[in-house]
Amino acid sequence: MRRATILTTTEALLNNPDEFEAAARYFDVTTSRCSCRRTLVIPRYSALPHYVDLVLDLEFNCNEYPSSPDAFRWIADFGYYDQLKEFTFQTWTPDDFYRCTHPGPFVVKGRTNSKKYNWDTHMFARTKQDAVRIGCMLSEDSLLASQSILYRKYEPLVTHEVGLNGLPFTNEYRLFYDQGEYLAGGFYWSESDRADSRGEVPAEAREFADQVAAVAKCHAHSFVIDVAEKAAGGWIMVEMNTFEQSGLSCIDPDAFYSALAKNC
Ligand SMILES: Nc1ncnc2c1ncn2[C@@H]1O[C@H](COP(=O)(O)OP(=O)(O)O)[C@@H](O)[C@H]1O
Ligand SMILES: [Mg+2]
């Protein structure tokens, strides 16, 4: 096994001390792009906002970095929808929402981020009219304005608890894949009361995510899949996220970094 470098930021180090303590057991950890020449680099929370500049710096430093701007954008900009639509909620863009005949409810969000902590007022829309109103509100938000808005068919999900502003804490899991292989997974909602009592990823959730991964690995080297249990039965992909920017949710940091080190 060869030693690789985790490239992060000072802010991320301060915000995730447990994660980086575990990372340092298996990797060199640095916040400087200049200090890691000619190694395999794995960015964690350091890919945005200037992803292309990061890739150029890594190339300049003769680093090995197996992802690419195309693969990163395929995930971060929702490019995966065309290839993975059978696994996730039906989704409309502002360009085709006028053709949508579904009466609602909808979930409204940016291509990458949402205002989920304001679920009642800034995400859940009972009707098409509400959805358009929320879409306009989100377009004025400084973070979401540059992402363009998505309108998604609301699907009732198994819900354990309802948080502040109506946010449903659903039966949802996050699974990390590297080189198309499953690395580690865990309960999605680290802020919920149930976070400590939720254990392993259920077998059906894993099976479902593996089917998604089998398609995704033709387009990206590494990725993160969030899957939730539908109230009507079965599982659905909530979204795909980049490996570089996704938090660990309830995944044990040691289990994550030891599995990643073995894969390098
Ligand atoms: N179409 C949907 N139907 C039902 N619940 C949804 C839908 N989309 C998202 N959710 C719920 O809202 C949460 C936040 O949505 P998500 O797309 O993951 O936003 P973010 O990118 O901010 O994490 C999800 O974890 C899921 O529980
Ligand atoms: Mg999410």
Side-chain angles (χ1 to χ4, degrees):
M1 192 196 315
R2 115 196 110 95
R3 197 144 172 109
T5 303
I6 301 290
L7 175 63
T8 189
T9 66
T10 305
E11 190 188 358
L13 280 181
L14 293 171
N15 288 338
N16 306 278
D18 294 349
E19 173 171 345
F20 289 104
E21 203 183 296
R25 275 181 225 128
Y26 304 95
F27 294 93
D28 294 324
V29 176
T30 182
T31 57
S32 162
R33 295 178 196 178
C34 310
S35 73
C36 50
R37 285 181 66 78
R38 297 177 195 282
T39 59
L40 170 66
V41 169
I42 303 166
R44 289 286 294 150
Y45 313 113
S46 55
L48 291 177
H50 302 298
Y51 180 73
V52 174
D53 294 343
L54 167 74
V55 173
L56 291 175
D57 278 356
L58 295 180
E59 270 172 25
F60 182 79
N61 280 333
C62 306
N63 291 121
E64 193 184 326
Y65 171 53
S67 191
S68 69
D70 282 351
F72 188 88
R73 297 264 65 107
W74 184 74
I75 302 170
D77 291 349
F78 202 64
Y80 60 83
Y81 182 66
D82 280 345
Q83 287 80 29
L84 298 176
K85 54 166 72 127
E86 69 183 283
F87 299 106
T88 193
F89 312 110
Q90 191 175 2
T91 303
W92 297 265
T93 65
D95 291 338
D96 61 14
F97 194 47
Y98 73 92
R99 273 192 251 139
C100 162
T101 52
H102 176 63
F106 299 94
V107 156
V108 191
K109 60 173 296 197
R111 269 176 194 264
T112 314
N113 302 101
S114 75
K115 289 269 168 201
K116 64 185 171 211
Y117 296 106
N118 297 106
W119 174 266
D120 282 340
T121 53
H122 290 67
M123 190 150 182
F124 179 75
R126 207 163 290 286
T127 63
K128 206 173 164 188
Q129 202 180 0
D130 287 343
V132 171
R133 186 179 46 77
I134 291 175
C136 291
M137 252 170 17
L138 296 184
S139 307
E140 286 166 12
D141 179 87
S142 56
L143 174 68
L144 302 185
S146 60
Q147 296 181 8
S148 132
I149 300 302
L150 297 178
Y151 299 92
R152 314 197 74 191
K153 184 175 179 178
Y154 169 78
E155 169 87 39
L157 302 172
V158 172
T159 299
H160 298 302
E161 185 190 332
V162 175
L164 217 55
N165 301 324
L167 176 64
F169 290 124
T170 48
N171 195 29
E172 191 167 333
Y173 295 82
R174 169 160 283 190
L175 297 91
F176 280 77
Y177 288 81
D178 180 45
Q179 301 173 54
E181 276 182 41
Y182 175 73
L183 271 192
F187 189 56
Y188 177 74
W189 297 106
S190 48
E191 59 273 72
S192 101
D193 286 349
R194 291 196 166 220
D196 291 340
S197 59
R198 310 303 303 179
E200 295 293 298
V201 176
E204 316 85 74
R206 169 72 194 279
E207 236 167 71
F208 176 80
D210 281 353
Q211 287 174 33
V212 179
V215 180
K217 73 179 181 190
C218 305
H219 301 271
H221 175 269
S222 52
F223 41 85
V224 178
I225 300 172
D226 295 337
V227 296
E229 188 177 7
K230 295 190 281 186
W235 292 79
I236 191 159
M237 178 169 77
V238 174
E239 59 172 348
M240 178 170 285
N241 300 284
T242 62
F243 194 95
E244 291 87 339
Q245 293 296 112
S246 297
L248 290 185
S249 286
C250 298
I251 300 167
D252 171 36
D254 197 270
F256 174 77
Y257 281 102
S258 63
L260 184 58
K262 275 195 206 113
N263 239 29
C264 287

